[in-house]
Each structure stands twice: as structure tokens, then as C-alpha cells.
């Protein structure tokens, strides 16, 4: 029979094992994060064994366990939430898409129409992980054009700011998909437009994501100092939004690629503390929301780069588990692809070429891809394969496949 323990119990055991800790070691590490004195070691070890066996920790211990493993509470103890955007549009406004569009053609716009636009924007941002990029790009541009045209209508001051903000969110989404598909120049123009809209609307959260996109673009093109500058600029304008967590993560990724392990830990810990202090998001599928599981994804990337293979391997499996539904449907295919690259890197370093190439090829097969990010991480697997297995025919096949992907997107050809 398989392991029937809850996922969080398996996660606690896997995290401990990845660090080569005994249960007593784990208890001692836990004490460092406790605000008050904990029971004696023998009592806490018994408690830890119960947790790993499936007895769920209470609210006091859950954040301490998360902090011990360098993550946030809901990454280990998730609070799932699923929303139906189309149903919410009907519930909020009673309108189908056709009626929303027809109302937008009127000379003035009522609050019900704006609410329907808000929910439509939320739906599009929530479909980013899995909607085919061509379809999402088409729909995103259509709705962006419709919302931008509202600026010519008769709007109150509050409605004008709302329309600017909605235009900003849609521009961010369109820019992300443009970059995913390799259209760097269009993506940068759209990002700048989003930042301009954010500044006009005085919307710090949209502005923060505009800077985060710049950090992402810089990361995937090897401008690591540019990543750090963009992350710091974004944190200044949006310090209290979840984008600040992702900015800290992008900074950590840059420091990892610059080889500064201490700054990696500093940035990751800053992001973890920020996220731990924020309420759990209502919609974890929204692209511009940092959900707790995403933090594992960030840390996985950093640990892979600094050579902490056991931790990277453990987190990659966790990313795959969180990004896959019970029926095997991939809810987060782009995160899953990078997790498979991570498993490939750790397998290659451990001497298992067959597993390394299996994971690497699987990562390249997804229909929904962020090509720049996938090539960036796959380049690391390619480097290990080239260094250790260059004479193997199967290794050459993988390297050739990766080069073909890079040639299809000229701006992202791997070295």
C-alpha cells in the first residue's frame, strides 16, 4: 500500500530527511523559532513523531514548523480555495460577456459594468497558468482595448481611477504572455504602459508588478544586477503587497546566480517573513497573487543553484505535488516544468543520466510554457550534462532539442 499519511505529514518528514536531521535535531531547530519555552526534548520528540505520523499540529506549532524549514505556514498546511470566474460574473452583475461588451458601448458606464470588468480581469489573470498562450494573448488584448476605450466615456473621478487600474492589470497580463512566447520587445513596451497607467492611477500594487516584470526579464537575460535594482525599486513602491514577496524571491534568484549564498538566504528570509504576515489569498490561481506554494517554487530555484541538492529535490517534488490535481491534471504546468528541470539537475549531479534526461525532456513537452524561464533553467541542466556526459548519444539528443527550442525564440538561445 502507498503512504496514506496526509501530504503535510509526508512533507515534514521529507524536509527533515533532506537536511539529514534526526527528529531530535528537528526539535532543536524548532526551538530557535519559538517565541516561548517549549516542553522538554523527549516530549517534543514524541510530538514530532506524532506529526510525521499524521497527527496535525495545532495553530501554535504550524508557523514554527514552517519557519524551521524556511517556508510559510500555508505552503505546508494549505488552505485551498477555488473560484469560478464565469459564475461570479453572473452572480455579481447578471451579465454574460456579450452584455458587458454592449454596455461598454454606451456613453456612460455604471458600477455594475465596472464590477463585471473587475471579475473578468480577475478571471483572465487566473487562467494564466493553463490557458493556451495564443488564446490568452488574444482575449487579454481584446479586453485591454475595450477597457482603454472607456477613457473616452463619461466617468466619475473614482471610475476613471478604476479604469486606469483595470487597464494596468490587463497590460501586466498581456506583457507576461508576450514575454512567455518570446516577444521581448512587445513585452517591454506593454510593461512600460502598465507602469505608466499605475503611476497615473497612483496604484502601488500594479506599479510593484511592473517593476517585478522588469526583474523577471532581467533574470532570464542574465542581467543579475538589473534584477536586484528592479526588485529594490518595486519594494519601495509596494512594500505592503504580496508583490514584495516575489520581488524578494527574484532578488534571491539573482544573488544565487551571482554566487552569494548569504544574500540568497537574506532575501529568501525577507520574503518568507513578509508572506507569513499576510492573509491567505482568496484566489491562489491569480497570476498576480503570491500563494504560499509559490514560495517553495522560489526556494527550489535558489537551492538548486547553490548546490543544496537534497533540499532542491525535496522542494521540486513538493512543487509538483501542489501543482497537480488528484486526477493528474497539471494546475501549474510552468512551475511543474521548472520543478522537473530541478529533478533533472539533481539526478545528473548524482550520476543518473537516464533520470536526468527523462525529467529534462518532460519539462520541454508542456503545451503551456514560459519559454525564457524554461530555457534559463534548462541551461543549467544542459551545463551539467555537457560537463559530465558529453560523449553519450542520449545526452547529445537532449542538448540538440534544447538548442532547437532556443532557435525558435532567437532572443533566448542558450549558451
Amino acid at each position: 500500500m502507498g503512504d496514506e499519511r496526509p501530504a503535510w505529514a509526508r512533507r515534514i518528514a521529507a524536509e527533515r530527511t533532506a537536511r539529514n536531521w534526526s527528529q531530535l535535531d528537528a526539535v532543536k531547530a524548532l526551538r530557535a523559532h519559538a517565541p516561548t519555552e517549549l516542553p522538554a526534548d523527549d516530549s517534543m520528540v514524541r510530538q514530532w513523531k506524532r506529526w510525521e505520523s499524521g497527527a496535525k499540529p495545532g495553530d501554535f506549532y504550524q508557523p514554527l514548523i514552517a519557519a524551521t524549514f524556511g517556508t510559510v505556514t500555508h505552503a505546508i498546511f494549505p488552505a485551498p480555495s477555488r473560484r469560478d470566474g464565469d459564475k461570479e460574473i453572473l452572480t455579481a452583475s447578471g451579465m454574460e460577456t456579450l452584455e458587458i461588451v454592449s454596455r461598454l458601448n454606451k456613453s456612460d458606464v455604471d458600477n455594475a459594468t465596472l464590477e463585471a470588468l473587475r471579475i473578468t480581469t480577475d478571471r483572465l489573470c487566473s487562467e494564466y497558468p493553463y490557458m493556451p498562450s495564443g488564446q490568452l494573448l488574444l482575449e487579454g488584448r481584446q479586453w485591454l482595448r475595450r477597457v482603454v476605450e472607456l477613457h473616452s466615456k463619461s466617468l466619475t473621478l473614482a471610475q476613471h481611477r478604476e479604469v486606469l487600474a483595470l487597464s494596468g492589470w490587463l497590460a501586466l497580463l498581456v506583457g507576461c504572455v508576450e514575454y512567455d512566447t518570446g516577444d521581448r520587445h512587445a513585452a517591454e513596451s506593454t510593461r512600460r504602459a502598465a507602469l505608466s497607467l499605475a503611476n497615473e492611477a497612483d496604484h502601488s500594487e500594479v506599479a510593484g508588478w511592473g517593476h517585478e516584470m522588469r526583474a523577471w526579464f532581467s533574470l532570464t537575460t542574465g542581467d543579475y544586477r538589473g534584477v536586484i535594482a528592479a526588485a529594490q525599486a518595486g519594494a519601495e513602491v509596494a512594500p505592503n503587497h504580496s508583490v514584495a514577496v516575489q520581488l524578494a524571491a527574484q532578488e534571491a534568484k539573482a544573488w544565487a546566480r551571482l554566487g552569494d549564498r548569504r544574500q540568497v538566504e537574506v532575501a529568501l528570509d525577507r520574503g518568507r517573513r513578509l508572506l507569513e504576515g499576510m492573509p491567505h489569498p482568496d484566489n491562489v490561481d491569480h497570476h498576480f497573487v503570491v500563494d504560499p506554494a509559490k514560495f517553495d517554487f522560489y526556494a527550489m530555484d535558489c537551492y538548486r543553484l547553490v548546490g543544496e541538492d537534497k533540499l532542491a529535490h525535496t522542494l521540486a517534488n513538493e512543487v509538483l505535488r501542489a501543482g497537480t490535481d488528484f486526477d493528474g491534471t497539471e494546475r501549474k504546468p510552468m512551475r511543474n516544468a521548472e520543478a522537473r528541470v530541478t529533478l533533472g539537475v539533481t539526478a545528473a549531479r548524482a550520476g543518473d543520466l537516464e533520470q536526468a534526461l527523462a525529467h529534462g525532456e518532460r519539462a520541454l513537452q508542456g503545451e503551456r510554457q514560459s519559454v525564457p524561464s524554461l530555457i534559463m533553467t534548462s541551461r543549467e541542466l544542459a551545463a551539467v550534462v555537457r560537463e559530465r556526459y558529453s560523449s553519450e548519444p542520449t545526452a547529445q539528443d537532449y542538448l540538440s532539442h534544447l538548442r532547437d527550442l532556443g532557435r525558435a525564440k532567437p532572443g533566448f538561445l542558450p549558451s
Side-chain angles (χ1 to χ4, degrees):
M1 292 182 64
D3 191 336
E4 297 181 356
R5 292 177 298 169
W8 53 261
R10 297 195 300 272
R11 169 79 183 273
I12 291 172
E15 290 274 7
R16 177 179 63 77
T17 302
R19 289 164 173 78
N20 294 319
W21 287 351
S22 67
Q23 289 169 329
L24 178 58
D25 293 333
V27 165
K28 289 179 177 178
L30 183 77
R31 289 189 187 280
H33 298 277
T36 59
E37 186 70 23
L38 298 181
D41 282 349
D42 56 350
S43 175
M44 285 303 304
V45 168
R46 287 195 297 272
Q47 183 64 66
W48 191 280
K49 289 179 179 178
R50 285 194 288 271
W51 294 337
E52 289 193 7
S53 296
K56 193 169 187 177
D59 291 342
F60 174 78
Y61 283 109
Q62 287 184 19
L64 299 185
I65 294 168
T68 298
F69 294 135
T71 188
V72 292
T73 305
H74 290 301
I76 297 181
F77 307 99
S81 174
R82 294 302 295 253
R83 296 169 63 181
D84 184 335
D86 291 332
K87 186 180 294 184
E88 287 188 18
I89 293 174
L90 284 170
T91 300
S93 62
M95 285 182 267
E96 298 279 3
T97 298
L98 184 61
E99 185 177 354
I100 297 171
V101 174
S102 67
R103 283 178 175 237
L104 295 179
N105 292 326
K106 295 182 178 179
S107 59
D108 57 358
V109 178
D110 60 22
N111 289 331
T113 304
L114 281 178
E115 177 65 12
L117 284 176
R118 279 192 290 270
I119 297 168
T120 299
T121 301
D122 183 90
R123 177 184 64 82
L124 287 169
C125 290
S126 301
E127 290 175 345
Y128 172 85
Y130 53 85
M131 182 182 285
S133 54
Q135 180 184 346
L136 185 56
L137 194 56
L138 177 65
E139 287 196 34
R141 284 172 172 167
Q142 286 176 339
W143 282 105
L144 176 58
R145 186 164 51 250
R146 290 165 181 158
V147 173
V148 167
E149 287 172 354
L150 289 179
H151 292 289
S152 64
K153 309 292 185 183
S154 176
L155 301 173
T156 66
L157 180 60
Q159 287 176 331
H160 178 66
R161 290 188 64 183
E162 177 72 14
V163 167
L164 286 171
L166 288 172
S167 301
W169 286 119
L170 288 167
L172 290 171
L173 177 66
V174 168
C176 285
V177 182
E178 287 171 337
Y179 199 72
D180 284 340
T181 57
D183 195 343
R184 291 171 58 184
H185 297 297
E188 175 58 16
S189 296
T190 308
R191 184 195 74 82
R192 289 177 181 270
L195 200 53
S196 177
L197 289 162
N199 292 335
E200 188 177 350
D202 194 24
H203 199 292
S204 60
E205 190 173 11
V206 171
W209 281 107
H211 288 290
E212 192 279 334
M213 286 175 66
R214 183 179 141 223
W216 173 35
F217 296 176
S218 297
L219 184 73
T220 54
T221 53
D223 178 12
Y224 305 135
R225 296 292 176 183
V227 177
I228 295 166
Q232 293 173 351
E236 285 182 11
V237 300
N240 300 315
H241 294 287
S242 70
V243 65
V245 179
Q246 188 144 321
L247 288 162
Q250 299 289 27
E251 185 177 340
K253 290 182 178 185
W255 284 121
R257 286 165 173 83
L258 288 168
D260 193 327
R261 172 62 183 269
R262 179 179 178 277
Q263 291 298 332
V264 171
E265 296 290 356
V266 168
L268 280 178
D269 194 54
R270 182 168 69 251
R272 185 192 67 78
R273 290 176 183 274
L274 282 169
L275 186 56
E276 190 66 271
M278 293 177 179
H280 191 271
D282 292 331
N283 180 12
V284 297
D285 289 327
H286 196 292
H287 182 55
F288 301 108
V289 165
V290 180
D291 62 288
K294 203 171 187 180
F295 195 81
D296 291 336
F297 174 66
Y298 303 144
M300 174 197 75
D301 181 272
C302 294
Y303 286 133
R304 181 187 69 247
L305 283 158
V306 299
E308 291 282 1
D309 287 354
K310 284 188 176 181
L311 292 177
H313 182 92
T314 298
L315 288 174
N317 283 324
E318 186 60 27
V319 168
L320 285 169
R321 187 198 64 78
T324 307
D325 278 335
F326 67 93
D327 61 356
T329 302
E330 299 208 356
R331 296 176 59 246
K332 305 289 184 182
M334 289 175 284
R335 289 188 206 177
N336 287 0
E338 292 189 41
R340 291 188 174 100
V341 173
T342 296
L343 292 175
V345 170
T346 58
R349 288 174 180 164
D352 191 339
L353 177 61
E354 183 179 357
Q355 276 296 309
L357 296 180
H359 289 305
E361 285 289 356
R362 176 76 186 278
L364 300 177
Q365 292 169 4
E367 292 184 8
R368 183 66 175 94
Q369 295 179 341
S370 174
V371 173
S373 296
L374 182 56
I375 289 181
M376 177 186 69
T377 52
S378 294
R379 184 186 293 126
E380 297 165 27
L381 175 55
V384 179
V385 169
R386 190 179 296 113
E387 177 187 351
R388 302 190 185 193
Y389 309 101
S390 59
S391 62
E392 296 287 341
T394 53
Q396 288 300 320
D397 289 343
Y398 170 72
L399 294 173
S400 176
H401 189 176
L402 189 57
R403 280 193 293 270
D404 290 343
L405 179 62
R407 288 192 186 99
K409 307 296 177 184
F412 302 103
L413 185 65
S415 57

